[in-house]
Amino acid sequence: FAARDVTATDFTNGSVAVTSAGSNTVVLADTATNNGADTIYGFAAGAVAGGGDVLDLSAYLGAAVSSITINGSDGNADNVVNANVVIQTNNAAATDTIVWKASSKYVLVQDNGTDTTVSYVTTDGAGAVASTTTVATLVGVNDVSAFVAANLV
């Protein structure tokens, strides 16, 4: 198989296997409702030139990706107001407060030591989380620290 874009038409009952050689792009929809909760098998985090895959978040974010990696259990509040993609390490033990920007949309990427979840997050006018909806589970991606900027566009 050649590298290619994986879109909604490739999913069967909300699941898809990313098995093509090279770097593949999985395109997520513009809203959590339109996207649903996808299960993605075979996603490879890491350098795209080395075969790492890409999650295309542009339909939801509507802007260029600006990511930040935070440690969810280092005892510090994490300010993410200048980013729109948050990669949270140590999610299983997360105790830290996240400071969100008011009236904004985020993509939250977290691992649980086995798989990685990708969620769409919205905040209200006070910066409190208004909704969090899981839109994808990357089966077998057990450490978000393997992600590079090119994996999330």
Side-chain angles (χ1 to χ4, degrees):
F1 294 105
R4 64 188 186 88
D5 286 355
V6 178
T7 61
T9 57
D10 296 301
F11 284 80
T12 303
N13 296 323
S15 296
V16 69
V18 182
T19 57
S20 298
S23 176
N24 297 283
T25 300
V26 178
V27 181
L28 299 182
D30 60 338
T31 67
T33 301
N34 289 343
N35 194 83
D38 300 329
T39 303
I40 301 169
Y41 297 90
F43 188 91
V48 172
D53 295 319
V54 176
L55 279 179
D56 183 341
L57 311 167
S58 62
Y60 173 69
L61 292 174
V65 167
S66 173
S67 64
I68 185 171
T69 300
I70 62 172
N71 183 331
S73 61
D74 64 0
N76 297 310
D78 296 298
N79 186 324
V80 300
V81 298
N82 293 320
N84 56 14
V85 174
V86 178
I87 303 168
Q88 184 179 40
T89 63
N90 295 320
N91 179 53
T95 56
D96 295 352
T97 300
I98 298 176
V99 180
W100 307 93
K101 185 176 180 180
S103 303
S104 296
K105 296 193 292 189
Y106 290 89
V107 174
L108 180 61
V109 182
Q110 303 170 297
D111 71 67
N112 62 13
T114 303
D115 302 319
T116 291
T117 58
V118 179
S119 301
Y120 287 175
V121 178
T122 61
T123 60
D124 64 19
V129 172
S131 68
T132 302
T133 306
T134 298
V135 294
T137 300
L138 308 177
V139 176
V141 179
N142 61 4
D143 185 359
V144 295
S145 64
F147 277 85
V148 298
N151 295 133
L152 303 164
V153 297

